[in-house]
Amino acid sequence: MRVDYKPEGIYLPAIDLWLDPLVPVDAAWLSHAHSDHARGLHQTIIATGITVQIYRHRWPLLHGRTQEVHRLNPNESIEWNGATLTARQAAHILGAAQLLVEYNGERLVYTGDIKHRAPICGWTTEATPCDHLIIESTFGLPIYQFLEAADAQTRIAAFARECLAAGQTPVFQGYGLGRGQEIAHTLALDEIPCEIHPSIAAFIPYYEAQNYTFPSASEGGAVLVTPGRKMPVDIAAAKRKVALVSGWAALDNARARSNADVLIPYSDHADFYELLALIHDSQAQQIDIVHGYAEPFAHILRKRGLSARAAMLTTEAQI
Ligand SMILES: [Zn+2]
């Protein structure tokens, strides 16, 4: 089916549906609740129940406004303008889902942000064979190879304990939604109390509702989890050590760019090899690449004999 790649987002004209639009539209599929995918007050939204909750947290309805909401949890389907829409689990942040569109005998899958291996928190990806795949390529170069979730958790806990034993404050740079909670949850499993930045703590109730545990707040902040480079409290540089937990940590220059002492390459996006695995699982004949290294990644796929094109290069992914 025809797919229009516009600056405002991805549009399926045959069924009048936008995929993760960046501006308010009549009807939108929201793959997950990161702000570069779920933004604006759309008239109608279709998303998993968890994504709807977090989206509404960020985009509370204006007074007097109504919004039509279709909660589509994994493996549930609805009919939409002659197509069947089915949500399929995506490993990314809590509630993330792929969308399978079946229309006129064709199967199209839009992955949203996704990884192939299991994340620390959230669903695993459900392989969804299709004819036409729209997939992200935030880390679509071979230099990006990340740790398994369990190995990342081991590194996170070890770093915290080593710093504490040396009398230093360990600081983890995560992200407001996703990585920050995964780090805090990992510390909780190791019973390491920590101080969590309010922008990360704000989303913890949604994780607790899915039975993920979190550390009790520590007096004086022995371990800090923070969304950016700015320290939430003033700690002398000599008394702290910073770990960057990110896909960008696969590059050595991330140390200087992030003022990090230690790099832990773990992401809620697929690394290059996971992207290849996702594409293999899809069995798709046509692959459209959006976000990140779309052009070089499409080139690499074509060299492997696949029909691939860079479809959209508009936004910078939030990771
Ligand atoms: Zn995302």
Side-chain angles (χ1 to χ4, degrees):
M1 70 189 299
R2 185 176 131 193
V3 183
D4 292 346
Y5 294 94
K6 299 167 178 264
E8 309 94 298
I10 305 167
Y11 182 59
L12 306 178
I15 61 169
D16 193 16
L17 180 68
W18 290 83
L19 310 176
D20 289 341
L22 300 174
V23 296
V25 298
D26 287 343
W29 160 256
L30 307 181
S31 65
H32 65 289
H34 270 151
S35 59
D36 56 342
H37 290 256
R39 64 195 300 165
L41 279 172
H42 312 296
Q43 185 58 47
T44 299
I45 60 168
I46 309 169
T48 65
I50 297 170
T51 295
V52 169
Q53 281 185 327
I54 304 176
Y55 162 80
R56 278 274 174 83
H57 176 115
R58 284 185 150 157
W59 292 91
L61 285 177
L62 299 176
H63 180 68
R65 180 151 183 160
T66 58
Q67 187 176 51
E68 193 176 320
V69 176
H70 299 274
R71 289 175 180 78
L72 197 64
N73 287 319
N75 297 307
E76 292 178 352
S77 299
I78 57 166
E79 299 303 310
W80 183 265
N81 293 340
T84 302
L85 309 180
T86 305
R88 299 280 290 166
Q89 289 178 187
H92 183 54
I93 61 165
L94 214 58
Q98 311 169 75
L99 184 67
L100 167 64
V101 182
E102 294 172 278
Y103 183 75
N104 276 351
E106 186 191 350
R107 288 166 65 91
L108 177 143
V109 166
Y110 169 60
T111 63
D113 288 349
I114 194 166
K115 63 191 271 124
H116 187 253
R117 296 180 292 188
I120 294 172
C121 299
W123 294 318
T124 53
T125 289
E126 292 178 307
T128 309
C130 61
D131 306 297
H132 188 169
L133 178 71
I134 305 171
I135 187 169
E136 57 120 337
S137 68
T138 303
F139 294 109
L141 291 179
I143 195 168
Y144 293 106
Q145 187 167 14
F146 306 146
L147 297 169
E148 298 270 357
D151 294 335
Q153 289 184 287
T154 301
R155 293 268 294 270
I156 289 167
F159 171 77
R161 293 214 177 276
E162 284 163 18
C163 291
L164 292 170
Q168 292 174 309
T169 299
V171 178
F172 290 94
Q173 290 180 5
Y175 294 92
L177 175 57
R179 199 72 34 71
Q181 291 82 13
E182 290 189 319
I183 295 167
H185 171 61
T186 297
L187 295 168
L189 293 177
D190 245 55
E191 297 181 346
I192 302 170
C194 69
E195 186 173 319
I196 301 168
H197 191 277
S199 64
I200 293 172
F203 295 108
I204 280 180
Y206 301 106
Y207 283 73
E208 287 178 326
Q210 302 301 317
N211 297 320
Y212 293 104
T213 53
F214 287 88
S216 53
S218 68
E219 292 298 320
V223 181
L224 304 178
V225 184
T226 172
R229 280 189 240 177
K230 199 168 182 301
M231 294 298 126
V233 291
D234 194 22
I235 313 166
K239 292 291 287 178
R240 68 171 190 243
K241 263 190 137 176
V242 177
L244 174 68
V245 185
S246 166
W248 303 112
L251 301 182
D252 285 339
N253 72 4
R255 194 171 273 114
R257 284 173 55 190
S258 304
N259 286 330
D261 300 292
V262 168
L263 301 176
I264 301 178
Y266 169 77
S267 178
D268 51 19
H269 289 264
D271 67 19
F272 176 79
Y273 303 93
E274 288 178 87
L275 286 174
L276 294 182
L278 288 163
I279 287 165
H280 178 265
D281 289 353
S282 78
Q283 304 166 27
Q285 287 97 55
Q286 175 60 42
I287 303 150
D288 292 353
I289 316 292
V290 296
H291 301 305
Y293 296 102
E295 196 72 63
F297 187 56
H299 176 82
I300 290 168
L301 295 180
R302 288 196 296 272
K303 286 275 192 188
R304 290 168 174 250
L306 297 167
S307 175
R309 63 172 176 156
M312 194 169 75
L313 306 161
T314 51
T315 60
E316 208 169 284
Q318 176 180 332
I319 55 163

